[in-house]
Amino acid sequence: MTALTLSSSSATGLRADAVVVGVAKSPKGPVPAPGAEAVDEAYGGKLGAVLEALGASGGEGEITKLPAPDGLKAPVVVAVGLGAVPEKGTGYDTETLRRAAGSAARALAGAKKAAFALPLDVADDTAAVAEGALLGAYAFNAYRDGGAAADDKDDKGAKGTKAGKAAKGKANGGAKAALGEIALLGGKRDKAHRAAVERAVVLADEVNRARDLINIPSNDLDPTGFAAAAQQAGKEHGFKVTVTDEKALAKGGYGGLLGVGQGSQTPPRLVRLEHRHPKAEQTIALVGKGITYDSGGISLKPAGHNETMKCDMSGAAAVLAAVSAAARLELPVNVTGWLALAENMPSGSATRPGDVLRMYSGKTVEVLNTDAEGRLVLADALTKASEEKPDYMIDVATLTGAMVLALGNRTFGIMANDDAFRTRIHVLAEAAGEQSWPMPMPPELKKGMESPIADIANMGERMGGGLVAGLFLEEFVGDGITWAHLDIAGPAFNTSGPFGYTPKGGTGSAVRTLVAIAEEAAHGDLV
């Protein structure tokens, strides 16, 4: 990953390929933001006028590159827009700083080193700039000519074991490598700012782990390969990983996982992750949907809907990254992660519409649509996780197209069996920079899932399909457990152009929210 340091050097004295400064939008034109004073002075106090002459306005995310004047050791100045000048006595919103830093880092792809002279008034600003810059600098070049091979196999034949190294491929084939090094200028070097940088480095590293896993194609990351990647992460960062294979799943009666995975040549896996801390007073269980490829099964997806279905394991990727982050940050909270891994394929052995599966809970489910498979694997994992009686349980899944229709491509939905918990997750997600929205759980929609032959069907009313899916999952949550469901189907995979610190492809959606939840629980402040 891109290296990042706090530097005491001045913007004029540091040797780098470029200096990044902020510029704000005012009624009189663009004005330099705090942090840019030395660079503005090098332009004779006319940086704003020069930018205006080049057509810059200071609008959020706007990038303007210009030659550096005499007096700077860097040859290029990159001005990034921060939007309107804040009201007197206030600073820039942290998400604004996060996105601006990300935009600048993306604009500097291929450069070896850049100095960021953005507003760093308080530790939260430093955290936001560090996080945004590291996330914006992300590049996935594993499959470019000369990139790191992602199809190496370990002794057991598991693929994808180099997932954590995927972003380190060389930038041949027309792609640029990630910005190599970032120096943050102007921030204090006290304990709070150093801690902010250390957390940002871990958080960005783990978000990028999730992005790598999502971007690896399904022929190189199947359920066994994903399980191997989880084991590797556990060895690296000191958390326990337990893998349940297909034989143990059959013996244990995991009908959901087995039913979804039986059409594939690669068997399913249930992976348990565990971070424990001696001072922990609460336990959180995180459950992730890990469909490494979703064809829809016998209920085959229509043409044009298959190409990005390697991303249907984004929930499991987020859970793995969040548990790894909790371990690396040594959070005083116990966190278990459950990765429900399967490949949903059509074949002579695949589950058919109309089949009935007996789940791990003992409940029977009539499968009306094999493309509603995520809720089936999650149901088994939720039941298993409930046996340990965690204080809180959150599942994360690219679950329904209906949620995308409701909230768009950048916002995930939050459902819960406790209104206060749902609200708190929404607040934490927004503070972390992840767009989300609380969604209801109307009890009348349960009637649509009634089955004439089984305890419940895996489909209900078409309208409100995202809510129906949440109601289905609630049936498999243990009594007395505070639970939430995050449907990240919209923001998990970006098929349009990059923006801010968000790349095209896998985004690592929900990782930052899950880590924030774990941090709140560690302090006993969750609800």
Side-chain angles (χ1 to χ4, degrees):
M1 192 176 77
T2 301
L4 185 142
T5 57
L6 274 173
S7 175
S8 58
S9 298
S10 68
T12 57
L14 186 68
R15 293 189 182 277
D17 295 309
V19 174
V20 176
V21 297
V23 56
K25 189 174 185 178
S26 79
K28 297 182 179 180
V31 294
E37 293 86 356
V39 175
D40 184 34
E41 185 178 341
Y43 280 99
K46 296 182 178 180
L47 176 57
V50 172
L51 289 170
E52 186 173 27
L54 293 173
S57 68
E60 286 193 28
E62 178 186 75
I63 295 290
T64 307
K65 294 183 180 181
L66 58 162
D70 292 339
L72 266 68
K73 291 186 177 180
V76 175
V77 171
V78 177
V80 58
L82 298 174
V85 176
E87 294 182 8
K88 190 174 182 179
T90 65
Y92 289 92
D93 177 76
T94 53
E95 179 62 6
T96 296
L97 293 174
R98 196 181 285 120
R99 291 180 180 178
S103 295
R106 284 194 300 103
L108 288 167
K112 292 182 179 180
K113 183 175 182 179
F116 280 59
L118 295 174
L120 300 180
D121 293 336
V122 296
D124 284 348
D125 294 343
T126 298
V129 172
E131 187 182 317
L134 291 171
L135 292 176
Y138 174 81
F140 185 77
N141 292 319
Y143 291 85
R144 303 287 185 178
D145 182 23
D151 60 354
D152 286 13
K153 299 182 180 181
D154 63 10
D155 293 337
K156 297 180 181 179
K159 294 180 284 185
T161 56
K162 290 194 176 181
K165 302 178 182 179
K168 297 180 181 178
K170 296 179 181 178
N172 295 340
K176 291 183 178 180
L179 171 61
E181 183 180 350
I182 295 167
L184 298 189
L185 310 180
K188 298 177 183 178
R189 297 171 60 82
D190 58 20
K191 183 178 179 180
H193 285 74
R194 289 198 303 271
V197 167
E198 290 170 3
R199 179 185 181 276
V201 168
V202 169
L203 199 59
D205 197 22
E206 291 304 329
V207 171
N208 289 341
R209 180 195 301 277
R211 290 172 171 180
D212 286 347
L213 288 166
I214 297 164
N215 287 328
I216 293 174
S218 300
N219 61 319
D220 279 340
L221 190 75
D222 56 24
T224 56
F226 199 135
Q231 289 174 315
Q232 180 178 322
K235 289 179 181 178
E236 289 176 356
H237 301 302
F239 58 91
K240 185 178 179 181
V241 180
T242 305
V243 179
T244 304
D245 64 16
E246 71 273 23
K247 292 181 180 179
L249 290 173
K251 185 177 180 180
Y254 293 83
L257 274 160
L258 291 167
V260 172
Q262 70 187 41
S264 172
Q265 291 183 328
T266 304
R269 294 285 186 268
L270 179 62
V271 180
R272 181 182 183 274
L273 318 171
E274 182 182 36
H275 159 67
R276 296 190 67 82
H277 194 282
K279 296 183 179 180
E281 296 182 357
Q282 293 188 323
T283 297
I284 297 178
L286 308 177
V287 182
K289 174 187 172 184
I291 303 299
T292 58
Y293 184 75
D294 182 18
S295 69
I298 297 297
S299 304
L300 194 67
K301 291 181 183 291
H305 290 75
N306 293 288
E307 291 79 4
T308 61
M309 283 299 101
K310 66 181 183 180
C311 80
D312 213 19
M313 36 59 70
S314 296
V319 167
L320 172 57
V323 174
S324 185
R328 294 174 66 178
L329 295 170
E330 299 181 349
L331 298 182
V333 60
N334 294 331
V335 184
T336 58
W338 299 86
L339 314 181
L341 308 176
E343 190 174 60
N344 188 25
M345 297 292 286
S347 72
S349 61
T351 294
R352 298 155 290 243
D355 285 358
V356 175
L357 304 177
R358 185 171 294 278
M359 313 298 282
Y360 177 73
S361 68
K363 290 182 180 180
T364 55
V365 176
E366 182 182 11
V367 180
L368 299 181
N369 187 326
T370 64
D371 195 24
E373 84 300 329
R375 64 199 71 181
L376 299 176
V377 300
L378 285 173
D380 277 353
L382 286 167
T383 303
K384 183 62 177 176
S386 294
E387 290 180 349
E388 299 182 0
K389 300 189 182 302
D391 296 292
Y392 304 98
M393 185 159 63
I394 304 105
D395 74 74
V396 191
T398 48
L399 205 61
T400 65
M403 197 63 71
V404 185
L405 290 173
L407 299 178
N409 291 318
R410 298 190 184 184
T411 305
F412 64 74
I414 308 170
M415 301 171 66
N417 61 4
D418 182 279
D419 289 348
F421 190 45
R422 181 187 61 188
T423 299
R424 189 60 188 154
I425 292 176
H426 173 56
V427 170
L428 291 172
E430 294 292 312
E434 299 198 294
Q435 294 173 225
S436 65
W437 196 251
M439 301 295 285
M441 298 185 69
E444 65 271 16
L445 292 178
K446 292 182 179 180
K447 185 172 180 59
M449 292 186 286
E450 292 179 357
S451 166
I453 60 170
D455 294 323
I456 192 172
N458 78 327
M459 292 292 288
E461 294 182 27
R462 180 169 178 266
M463 299 302 173
L467 311 184
V468 170
L471 289 164
F472 178 92
L473 294 177
E474 187 182 25
E475 293 292 316
F476 299 88
V477 175
D479 292 340
I481 296 175
T482 302
W483 159 80
H485 160 58
L486 312 185
D487 190 336
I488 61 172
F493 198 82
N494 177 24
T495 57
S496 60
F499 57 93
Y501 51 81
T502 302
K504 188 172 183 178
T507 65
S509 177
V511 173
R512 291 176 290 156
T513 297
L514 295 181
V515 173
I517 292 169
E519 288 173 327
E520 287 281 293
H523 299 131
D525 299 329
L526 194 48
V527 288

